[in-house]
Amino acid sequence: MSFDHEQIAGLIRKLAGADQLLAQTYINGTVFADDDNRGAIDSLKKSGILRSADASDEYRLTGDLKRLIDRLLLRNQRYQQNINMAKMIVSVEEDIEDYRRALEQNNQDEAHHHLEQIDDTLYEATEALENSLSVMFAAITSQFGFVSSLNSKIRQNQRALTYAQQLVQELNQVRITDCYDWLSWSGIPPELSRKIIRFIDQYKSIVERLTGIVGRMKELLFKLRLQEQTANRCRAMAQFLRQHPEWEPLDWSEDIGVPDLLRRGTGLKLQPGIDTANPVLQADLAAIVQELRRQSKPVAPLGRDSAVAPLDTRMPSRIEHDQDLYDSHIENLLALALEQQGRKVSALCYWSEQGLEIKAELWLDIVFAQYCCLPQRMRRTIALDMQGENLEGFDGNQVIEEILLQRVA
């Protein structure tokens, strides 16, 4: 079955005329037919470029065209290739013998056909090996970034290492001496010798690169297994801490006798966005996505008022430092305790003398909080004596009524 130039040119023109439609179909996975593109979609479907999808008005790229685009864009590539080097060698040897016999019989058309067969066979074998090594090298360089967990990375590494070792065994089917025997025929045409020599050079380069890739995969597998051991130890430690907590709060916050200060508040329930895992919302979300994908002409965004504002070139005014009033009072109280040389200083007396506007309970809380923020050296210098009434039934809890500060060093 032969094709003339017009048929091939017409098919290429049809692809070029629907470039945007095909690009949209490739990127989105599907395209929906409407009044604007139905004629183009029907024409592409008759040519075998598009095929029907699940819905009646939904279409996809055919497998051959999608694989061609993936191959040209180096997307969705797999390093595992179905390569049979022994079968390839036998096929090349048979084509070389047929090519030689056609030349001896001076059948140029048949000789040209066999030469094309040899070139295609050698090129497809080397290209498959080159693609396999390129994708494998990219996967190793990214540490198998298409999977996230360590276990998945280790499995992918082991799978790739097994395939690489099988590929090494497959390449051993090619003996360079046999390839050189293809050139031993006297009067071999230069176009055939160039193809064979190019194949031998590419084969040597592939074997050398494959050896380096196998070494890098073994090294990466060793590192991933060490990381897995570390992760397993961390998980075991986290599980142990969950099973043996050092402290657990007593469930007394709902008792009647607990002061309001010690009651637990209800936690905040935050929802940062739409919960896509909610089955109640999934049907509505799917309908919205399908409706957006059906729009061949997306709605243009509304224009915004972009009035130009004049640029303020004045020098900014100097802002005076604003100090917290109660931080100053805390510093004065601590300084007073240091000046008293061992005599106790009452926080409530200071609050009363200074006429602070906050409540006494809040002032005592501020004193205690600021004392806890002091450096260790200062806390060893100033002792804190908290006086108050112990709560019945609660160990170590009391309502603070007074705080005394005393210099001890």
Side-chain angles (χ1 to χ4, degrees):
M1 183 177 182
S2 61
F3 299 94
D4 56 14
H5 290 78
E6 289 300 326
Q7 288 179 295
I8 299 175
L11 180 60
I12 295 176
R13 281 195 301 269
K14 187 172 294 186
L15 290 172
D19 53 349
Q20 295 296 329
L21 180 63
L22 295 177
Q24 178 186 356
T25 308
Y26 178 79
I27 294 174
N28 297 333
T30 60
V31 64
F32 290 91
D34 53 20
D35 297 337
D36 296 333
N37 60 12
R38 187 172 300 276
I41 288 179
D42 291 340
S43 177
L44 293 173
K45 183 180 178 183
K46 291 179 181 178
S47 302
I49 298 174
L50 293 180
R51 65 176 179 86
S52 300
D54 299 333
S56 59
D57 55 348
E58 187 180 12
Y59 296 90
R60 297 178 181 271
L61 294 178
T62 56
D64 294 336
L65 182 58
K66 187 175 184 302
R67 281 192 295 269
L68 175 62
I69 298 176
D70 288 342
R71 180 180 175 184
L72 294 177
L73 297 180
L74 298 180
R75 292 186 56 184
N76 303 326
Q77 290 278 13
R78 294 176 56 88
Y79 58 81
Q80 295 185 1
Q81 302 286 338
N82 188 13
I83 301 173
N84 191 337
M85 298 302 294
K87 183 177 179 180
M88 186 273 298
I89 292 298
V90 173
S91 177
V92 171
E93 290 178 348
E94 292 176 352
D95 288 333
I96 291 178
E97 184 63 28
D98 294 338
Y99 175 70
R100 178 179 179 178
R101 187 179 300 108
L103 287 180
E104 291 176 352
Q105 297 175 0
N106 198 19
N107 192 341
Q108 296 298 328
D109 292 338
E110 185 177 346
H112 179 73
H113 169 73
H114 291 302
L115 184 62
E116 291 294 328
Q117 292 289 332
I118 296 171
D119 182 71
D120 291 341
T121 304
L122 295 177
Y123 176 78
E124 290 174 359
T126 55
E127 185 188 29
L129 292 172
E130 289 284 353
N131 291 338
S132 180
L133 294 186
S134 299
V135 178
M136 195 185 307
F137 182 79
I140 297 171
T141 304
S142 64
Q143 295 189 359
F144 301 93
F146 48 87
V147 293
S148 57
S149 64
L150 278 176
N151 291 331
S152 300
K153 290 180 182 292
I154 290 175
R155 285 196 302 270
Q156 292 294 332
N157 198 329
Q158 291 174 341
R159 188 178 304 170
L161 182 59
T162 302
Y163 171 75
Q165 292 172 347
Q166 294 175 356
L167 191 59
V168 171
Q169 296 177 359
E170 192 66 30
L171 291 177
N172 290 333
Q173 301 290 333
V174 179
R175 292 193 295 269
I176 299 297
T177 55
D178 294 341
C179 297
Y180 282 119
D181 289 341
W182 298 343
L183 302 172
S184 60
W185 150 38
S186 61
I188 181 173
E191 55 269 16
L192 177 60
S193 61
R194 284 196 298 268
K195 298 181 187 304
I196 296 175
I197 292 174
R198 183 173 64 248
F199 169 75
I200 293 174
D201 293 340
Q202 291 177 342
Y203 170 79
K204 291 180 179 179
S205 174
I206 289 172
V207 171
E208 182 179 357
R209 290 164 54 194
L210 182 60
T211 304
I213 288 176
V214 171
R216 290 193 58 175
M217 279 194 292
K218 291 181 179 179
E219 181 181 357
L220 178 60
L221 182 60
F222 177 74
K223 292 181 179 179
L224 290 176
R225 284 174 174 169
L226 288 180
Q227 294 176 4
E228 185 186 28
Q229 293 177 1
T230 304
N232 289 336
R233 288 195 293 267
C234 292
R235 282 193 292 267
M237 177 60 70
Q239 183 179 4
F240 175 80
L241 293 178
R242 285 194 298 268
Q243 294 175 353
H244 304 84
E246 296 181 357
W247 175 82
E248 287 186 358
L250 299 177
D251 192 11
W252 41 256
S253 60
E254 301 298 332
D255 294 345
I256 301 176
V258 176
D260 294 338
L261 183 64
L262 300 180
R263 290 185 181 275
R264 299 179 191 170
T266 58
L268 294 177
K269 297 181 180 179
L270 302 178
Q271 185 65 33
I274 298 176
D275 186 9
T276 57
N278 189 353
V280 179
L281 302 176
Q282 287 180 355
D284 295 336
L285 290 175
I288 293 174
V289 172
Q290 292 294 334
E291 183 63 27
L292 291 176
R293 294 175 64 182
R294 290 174 185 270
Q295 295 179 1
S296 58
K297 296 180 179 179
V299 179
L302 298 176
R304 298 184 178 180
D305 185 11
S306 57
V308 179
L311 180 64
D312 187 5
T313 58
R314 295 177 299 175
M315 293 295 295
S317 60
R318 185 174 181 181
I319 301 176
E320 298 294 336
H321 176 65
D322 189 11
Q323 188 176 6
D324 192 302
L325 175 62
Y326 293 98
D327 283 345
S328 301
H329 284 297
I330 294 296
E331 292 177 1
N332 296 334
L333 178 63
L334 295 175
L336 181 62
L338 292 174
E339 294 174 356
Q340 293 300 319
Q341 298 293 335
R343 291 190 297 272
K344 294 184 178 181
V345 177
S346 170
L348 280 182
C349 291
Y350 181 90
W351 169 78
S352 177
E353 292 173 358
Q354 297 296 327
L356 301 182
E357 298 180 356
I358 61 176
K359 294 182 179 181
E361 293 82 1
L362 181 57
W363 166 248
L364 295 177
D365 290 340
I366 294 176
V367 172
F368 176 71
Q370 293 295 330
Y371 177 81
C372 294
C373 296
L374 292 176
Q376 186 69 25
R377 177 176 58 84
M378 292 296 298
R379 280 185 286 175
R380 288 196 299 265
T381 304
I382 300 177
L384 203 69
D385 182 13
M386 295 187 293
Q387 300 178 359
E389 179 183 358
N390 293 328
L391 297 177
E392 297 181 0
F394 305 101
D395 298 336
N397 293 311
Q398 61 180 178
V399 177
I400 304 301
E401 299 176 351
E402 173 66 294
I403 294 179
L404 300 177
L405 294 91
Q406 182 182 12
R407 180 173 180 175
V408 296

